[in-house]
């Protein structure tokens, strides 16, 4: 049987704007990470690619450069905000190194690429991130990653409650 | 945000005849279970349903009752063997209660039902269990479970090595 790595672990958590990825991160902190370990926790946010903003190129309907710049700024602000929020969730960790990465691109590609690049030992993600409509077109991000990355994948679903039934 | 349960955890590990589920169990023991916790580890084996053995009914080609009985015994032996092997993997655990269940039916249904029935806190499974051919017909068991159970799902892939590249 293949040997289980006993070295320090790289735990990659994919975060986005949604509550489910926040729950996945919290669940991971409580259930996977041991605070006396030398784990490295990497928070990854996949920022929608620039092509989203320039999708209307060539149709004769172009955004002005002002609007383009404002949209790019908005994208950066969202990314910073998501990462900051995720980092705040991790403030209680003492012996765990927390890193963050913001990468531009389709979350499905970005997550798989970063797993490979950094040699992650486990990938943690919510199951329903990136919006219902987008998911319907793109397919489930978690499903794609579970099938394509080589390391173990932990898919965390936010339990439905009576208060917030979504 | 929904609260993360801090109670004792029920960790359900789906085991089968394959090396990948054995690796998934070992990975789980090293990375998810903390030995000083009061976790309960439940080893679940889904035994192929009786209909597999009587699949030729009605075609005019019937097994004798002796052969039927022998096949049923073989099925039980395999189930016992898988569970025993899994239990041996867990012998080093001291404070963790280890239970086992053998349930008859399609693994996809069995696993989802048991997760629900026992209120598992996390489901752990290999990604490629239950044989390549069977998977091609039935679809991926892990994929089905990841989409249908409500608790977090940890899908563990056995790394490919040069020695055993399968």
């Amino acid at each position: 049987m293949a040997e289980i790595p006993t070295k320090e672990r790289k735990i990659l958590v994919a975060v986005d704007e949604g509550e489910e990825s926040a729950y996945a991160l919290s669940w991971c902190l409580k259930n996977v990470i041991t605070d006396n370990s030398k784990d490295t926790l990497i928070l990854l946010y996949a920022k929608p690619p620039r092509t989203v903003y320039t999708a209307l190129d060539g149709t004769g309907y172009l955004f002005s450069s002002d609007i383009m710049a404002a949209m790019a700024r908005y994208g950066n602000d969202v990314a910073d905000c998501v990462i900051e929020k995720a980092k705040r969730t991790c403030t209680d960790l003492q012996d765990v190194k927390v890193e963050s990465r913001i990468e531009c691109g389709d979350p499905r590609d970005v997550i798989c690429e970063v797993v490979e690049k950094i040699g992650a030992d486990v990938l943690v993600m919510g199951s329903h991130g990136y919006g219902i409509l987008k998911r319907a077109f793109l397919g489930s991000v978690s499903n794609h990653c579970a099938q394509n990355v080589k390391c173990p994948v932990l898919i965390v679903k936010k339990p439905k409650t009576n208060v917030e039934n979504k």
Side-chain angles (χ1 to χ4, degrees), chain A residues 50-63 68 71:
Chain A
R50 233 167 243 279
T51 49
V52 169
Y53 305 127
T54 58
L56 299 183
D57 271 353
T59 62
Y61 186 81
L62 290 167
F63 289 124
M68 289 286 292
M71 289 172 87

Side-chain angles (χ1 to χ4, degrees), chain A residues 121-140:
Chain A
D121 293 291
V122 59
L123 165 65
V124 181
M125 59 194 308
S127 68
H128 289 121
Y130 306 104
I132 290 171
L133 270 180
K134 205 164 179 183
R135 187 154 32 92
F137 287 107
L138 295 177
S140 159

